[in-house]
Amino acid sequence: MKKKLIFISMMAVVSMHLHAQTIHKMAVDVNKQMAGISPTMWGIFFEDINLAADGGIYAELVKNRSFEFNMPMMGWKEAKPNGGSILILNRAIENPANPRFARITVKNDKSFAMANEGFRGMGIKKGNSYNFSVWAKSVNGNNAVIRVELVTPKGDKIGEGTVGINGKGWKQYKLSFVATETELKAKMNFIIENNGLYDVDMISLFPADTWQGRANGLRKDLVQWLADMKPGFIRFPGGCIVEGRDLNNRYQWKKTVGNVEDRQLIINRWNTEFASRSTPDYFQSFGLGFYEYFLLAEDIGAEPLPILNCGMACQFNTAEAVPTEGLQPYIQDALDLIEFANGGTGTKWGKLRADMGHPKPFNLKMLGAGNENWGEQYIERLRIFTKAIKEKYPNMQLVNSSGTDPEGDRFNYLNNELRKNKADIIDEHYYKPPTWFLQNAKRYDGYDRNGSKVFAGEYAGHTKLTNVAEKKNNWDAALAEAAFMTGLERNADVIKMASYAPLFAHIDGWQWAPDLIWFDNLVSYGTPSYYVQKMFSNNKGTKVVSITMNDSTVTGQDSLYASACIDKSSNELIVKVVNTLGKEQMLDIGFTGSNKLPTTMRQTLLRAASLTEVNSFEVAANISPIETELAINNNRIEVTAAPYSFMVFRIKL
Ligand code: AHR
């Protein structure tokens, strides 16, 4: 994102408009301090949907690296003709988490070759190093050479390396090389040279340049988007993926930690969820597992918020529930997770965390039980779950689901029951048209200030203006989200956390749109909604202060929405104003309750000429923040709010 810093003498710019237009007078009173804003207020929702993890943020380039997909050779293609053959073997009894491997026979002084297609190709960058690894053994003791080549779709070689294998025991072999060209959709040839019988498994290729340079690491550009948000929390691993289509397919964190080769792959529920967006090659390798999620949270300064299955599969699919008397393993998973995150290195799960490289605790403070679960069966299971966790960890904050919708019978029943049970935090979801967001800027004004807190856990403006996935992330949706978020901020005594959903989408492998960040194998861009989220998160503040227009909160009168807060750490006043009208509006904002303000302030402006505008791979920063400096005169600012605009003002106190 390119930041511009322009100095504008405001009075000159606005004076010609002042006579012709209505002036909207707003009053900010710094002395009228209201809700404290939680440090976790604005955060991130992460789910492995739209190839967000495998094929996305998890930087592994080889698809189906250990032949565990339903079709063991999916993603792989044998060369034809070939100097050898391949047989998939299954050692399930000896190794249930990673049963399959490939036995390759090479004869007649030829070689065996097969190619991996990657996740819609492999994104390769010229001059970057790539780290290849494979677990292998020579069955009859012959020595062999493994040759790895990266090739373009036309077959041109853009990188290669070799490594010798020897010995009858399983060993991991590694090689590295530098790519000579950039390619969006490269393939990897895997070749074994020399006669013999060789077993291979976990055939892997990573860029060396991952986030923090970690092995088994994450894609740097994608993590950077998250770090730039300075998020208060990160929720993981979802979403519906927590529940699974059936209980067998639920997310089980214990199967996602430890050595990567021992993490048991399962089908991704988004593989088959939408017939029109079927993604037959979508599985969860769990290379990005709970340890990596905790590390990611720590890296980007976000509180970790894991959501666990509470004994119920997705109620839109099988609606399977475990009998209440069978809940214990689920509860134990939750208790053990707390030990994994926070326990001493002398505890079973704390030791595993230390063995994986993180002796210090991750300091987990909150945990979700269930995602979009509903009905009596949820309340019943949640009660047992909550009792067991609170007994052992009374300070652990528990997030409860209020179902799929923010209104209606299902919501009302859950909301009442959860509040009766004094739930710590209630997770509300709303995927709604932009108009809903505008109408609901006051949604939380009437909520009980002393009851359960709210986590706006999944939301996004769903516009009907287009059927093109990427274009669903238009300015219409983002602007309405910004207007709504002023209402969340104003109600920060009720709203503890909020996150847009879903987070990531691969342009060639998505199932759900709109999404916050789009990417292909090489590049990524933030949508207008991303910049709205970032502007709120980067301008969080610590305490809400009063901002009014004609003595009322600013919740849509004359198409204007506003909130204000102070940031005690930087001693600044932060004002957010959204103009949803397609015309300029004159604002005159007066400040009371502070000493004399300085003569200038910083404005961050996000705007677009029309509601259908979007960002795209071609024009990634079409709608992106513009920084300017504006004048303050005697504790007043006069500013022209551009048509369809969102502004943040920061003023030193
Ligand atoms: O964000 C996509 C999906 O929407 C989530 O998995 C689910 O919780 C919701 O229905």
Side-chain angles (χ1 to χ4, degrees):
M1 179 193 58
K2 223 170 164 186
K3 283 187 183 169
K4 293 178 221 158
L5 198 65
I6 310 160
F7 185 83
I8 297 175
S9 169
M10 273 311 299
M11 295 315 291
V13 173
V14 300
S15 61
M16 56 197 199
H17 300 280
L18 282 175
H19 306 293
Q21 291 186 12
T22 309
I23 298 173
H24 301 278
K25 287 199 163 207
M26 293 188 192
V28 176
D29 188 345
V30 180
N31 271 343
K32 264 203 198 153
Q33 300 195 359
M34 298 164 345
I37 299 170
S38 160
T40 55
M41 184 74 182
W42 311 112
I44 290 172
F45 163 95
F46 186 98
E47 175 165 26
D48 189 6
I49 180 173
N50 304 318
L51 303 195
D54 287 300
I57 199 169
Y58 182 52
E60 172 65 89
L61 294 166
V62 175
K63 185 166 74 181
N64 193 12
R65 62 188 172 188
S66 70
F67 310 101
E68 304 297 341
F69 283 18
N70 292 0
M71 296 304 292
M73 287 299 283
M74 190 180 250
W76 294 97
K77 200 171 185 179
E78 287 177 61
K80 294 243 166 27
N82 214 329
S85 58
I86 182 167
L87 178 68
I88 300 298
L89 296 179
N90 190 319
R91 60 190 155 187
I93 294 173
E94 177 198 329
N95 190 344
N98 182 1
R100 292 195 191 131
F101 60 97
R103 175 155 295 175
I104 290 167
T105 308
V106 185
K107 323 188 249 209
N108 305 329
D109 297 331
K110 295 197 170 139
S111 58
F112 170 84
M114 61 181 177
N116 189 276
E117 67 188 20
F119 298 88
R120 314 297 190 272
M122 295 177 183
I124 301 298
K125 288 186 183 162
K126 182 177 175 174
N128 279 13
S129 288
Y130 290 85
N131 296 333
F132 170 87
S133 64
V134 59
W135 282 88
K137 70 176 190 191
S138 172
V139 180
N140 51 14
N142 288 10
N143 291 351
V145 167
I146 291 184
R147 178 177 299 282
V148 175
E149 298 171 349
L150 283 176
V151 291
T152 66
K154 282 193 197 146
D156 298 335
K157 219 184 279 177
I158 57 170
E160 89 183 295
T162 57
V163 62
I165 59 170
N166 51 62
K168 289 188 172 177
W170 281 107
K171 273 190 277 180
Q172 193 182 33
Y173 297 88
K174 295 180 179 176
L175 68 94
S176 296
F177 57 86
V178 173
T180 54
E181 291 300 330
T182 293
E183 172 58 54
L184 179 68
K185 289 183 182 281
K187 282 189 291 189
M188 184 189 82
N189 292 334
F190 174 86
I191 302 156
I192 299 196
E193 296 166 351
N194 205 23
N195 292 345
L197 215 52
Y198 307 100
D199 290 347
V200 294
D201 198 4
M202 294 297 288
I203 304 174
S204 166
L205 184 72
F206 272 88
D209 191 23
T210 55
W211 171 258
Q212 308 269 13
R214 290 198 187 107
N216 191 49
L218 303 181
R219 207 175 118 172
K220 208 172 165 182
D221 63 321
L222 296 185
V223 180
Q224 193 61 54
W225 289 106
L226 310 186
D228 290 347
M229 286 172 79
K230 300 195 175 78
F233 68 91
I234 178 166
R235 167 191 179 143
F236 55 87
C240 292
I241 212 159
V242 170
E243 302 154 80
R245 291 180 69 84
D246 58 21
L247 283 170
N248 221 8
N249 180 230
R250 74 188 190 278
Y251 198 101
Q252 299 185 58
W253 76 266
K254 287 177 180 165
K255 296 188 176 182
T256 75
V257 291
N259 297 331
V260 276
E261 58 274 18
D262 299 331
R263 302 182 191 178
Q264 192 180 346
L265 173 142
I266 62 171
I267 191 167
N268 187 308
R269 61 159 298 140
W270 298 106
N271 182 314
T272 50
E273 186 71 25
F274 299 125
S276 61
R277 297 295 310 168
S278 135
T279 319
D281 55 347
Y282 204 1
F283 288 78
Q284 298 181 80
S285 72
F286 297 121
L288 167 59
F290 260 39
Y291 176 76
E292 290 77 17
Y293 280 124
F294 277 114
L295 266 191
L296 173 63
E298 185 174 83
D299 286 349
I300 61 177
E303 292 290 343
L305 171 54
I307 307 287
L308 296 184
N309 188 300
C310 65
M312 299 175 74
C314 178
Q315 286 161 279
F316 286 122
N317 300 145
T318 61
E320 273 184 348
V322 83
T324 48
E325 56 279 14
L327 259 186
Q328 191 46 39
Y330 293 74
I331 292 170
Q332 198 55 49
D333 274 358
L335 297 173
D336 291 343
L337 178 65
I338 300 172
E339 187 178 290
F340 177 73
N342 296 350
T345 53
T347 62
K348 175 179 173 192
W349 294 102
K351 179 174 181 310
L352 176 61
R353 182 194 69 238
D355 291 348
M356 290 183 76
H358 202 284
K360 277 200 208 139
F362 283 119
N363 210 3
L364 178 68
K365 301 186 188 92
M366 50 193 176
L367 190 67
N371 171 69
E372 291 196 347
N373 293 121
W374 67 77
E376 283 174 31
Q377 62 271 49
Y378 176 55
I379 297 294
E380 205 183 357
R381 281 158 187 76
L382 190 60
R383 204 173 282 132
I384 304 171
F385 219 88
T386 306
K387 186 166 175 284
I389 293 172
K390 290 281 185 181
E391 252 167 34
K392 191 154 182 201
Y393 299 103
N395 296 327
M396 188 59 59
Q397 291 285 291
L398 292 184
V399 172
N400 298 174
S401 154
S402 65
T404 53
D405 288 291
E407 54 235 341
D409 291 347
R410 195 186 280 165
F411 174 83
N412 292 338
Y413 166 75
L414 282 178
N415 198 35
N416 285 337
E417 290 298 310
L418 296 176
R419 283 173 185 277
K420 258 196 273 162
N421 293 341
K422 301 202 180 323
D424 295 326
I425 303 168
I426 301 177
D427 179 11
E428 297 188 2
H429 294 183
Y430 16 87
Y431 296 101
K432 295 283 186 187
T435 46
W436 184 93
F437 284 88
L438 299 180
Q439 286 153 8
N440 278 270
K442 286 196 271 195
R443 175 178 175 87
Y444 295 105
D445 292 3
Y447 266 53
D448 177 6
R449 317 323 282 182
N450 301 312
S452 303
K453 302 299 175 200
V454 171
F455 169 28
E458 293 184 29
Y459 64 90
H462 280 213
T463 163
K464 291 202 166 60
L465 290 175
T466 173
N467 284 327
V468 181
E470 249 188 295
K471 292 193 172 168
K472 286 180 190 259
N473 280 109
N474 58 27
W475 186 229
D476 187 20
L479 190 64
E481 288 152 12
F484 176 76
M485 288 167 79
T486 62
L488 297 183
E489 182 179 296
R490 199 181 48 256
N491 286 285
D493 50 341
V494 169
I495 309 290
K496 277 277 145 223
M497 296 183 287
S499 46
Y500 182 100
L503 183 64
F504 284 123
H506 189 302
I507 186 65
D508 299 325
W510 60 272
Q511 295 82 42
W512 178 297
D515 305 285
L516 204 61
I517 297 160
W518 285 86
F519 63 93
D520 64 18
N521 291 338
L522 287 174
V523 295
S524 44
Y525 73 86
T527 60
S529 293
Y530 171 82
Y531 290 109
V532 166
Q533 292 292 321
K534 184 179 169 196
M535 278 166 66
F536 270 88
S537 192
N538 287 185
N539 296 288
K540 184 163 53 191
T542 48
K543 207 151 220 185
V544 176
V545 297
S546 162
I547 179 165
T548 55
M549 191 162 71
N550 300 325
D551 293 327
S552 301
T553 49
V554 195
T555 54
Q557 310 91 304
D558 301 327
S559 307
L560 292 167
Y561 299 78
S563 59
C565 58
I566 50 167
D567 183 345
K568 284 204 172 130
S569 50
S570 64
N571 199 28
E572 282 174 297
L573 174 64
I574 305 167
V575 178
K576 302 184 180 84
V577 181
V578 179
N579 174 21
T580 59
L581 194 69
K583 288 188 184 145
E584 283 182 351
Q585 302 221 61
M586 300 303 300
L587 310 179
D588 176 343
I589 309 178
F591 300 93
T592 53
S594 74
N595 293 336
K596 178 120 174 45
L597 296 176
T599 52
T600 59
M601 64 171 188
R602 172 73 57 89
Q603 173 188 250
T604 310
L605 170 68
L606 200 57
R607 58 157 306 191
S610 96
L611 294 175
T612 50
E613 280 197 39
V614 292
N615 291 343
S616 62
F617 286 101
E618 293 74 34
V619 194
N622 176 38
I623 304 173
S624 58
I626 300 165
E627 305 257 328
T628 50
E629 226 165 77
L630 301 183
I632 307 178
N633 284 300
N634 295 324
N635 285 12
R636 279 182 56 227
I637 55 172
E638 292 173 332
V639 63
T640 307
Y644 301 132
S645 61
F646 168 36
M647 290 149 285
V648 178
F649 309 120
R650 277 192 94 108
I651 304 164
K652 276 274 172 212
L653 282 173

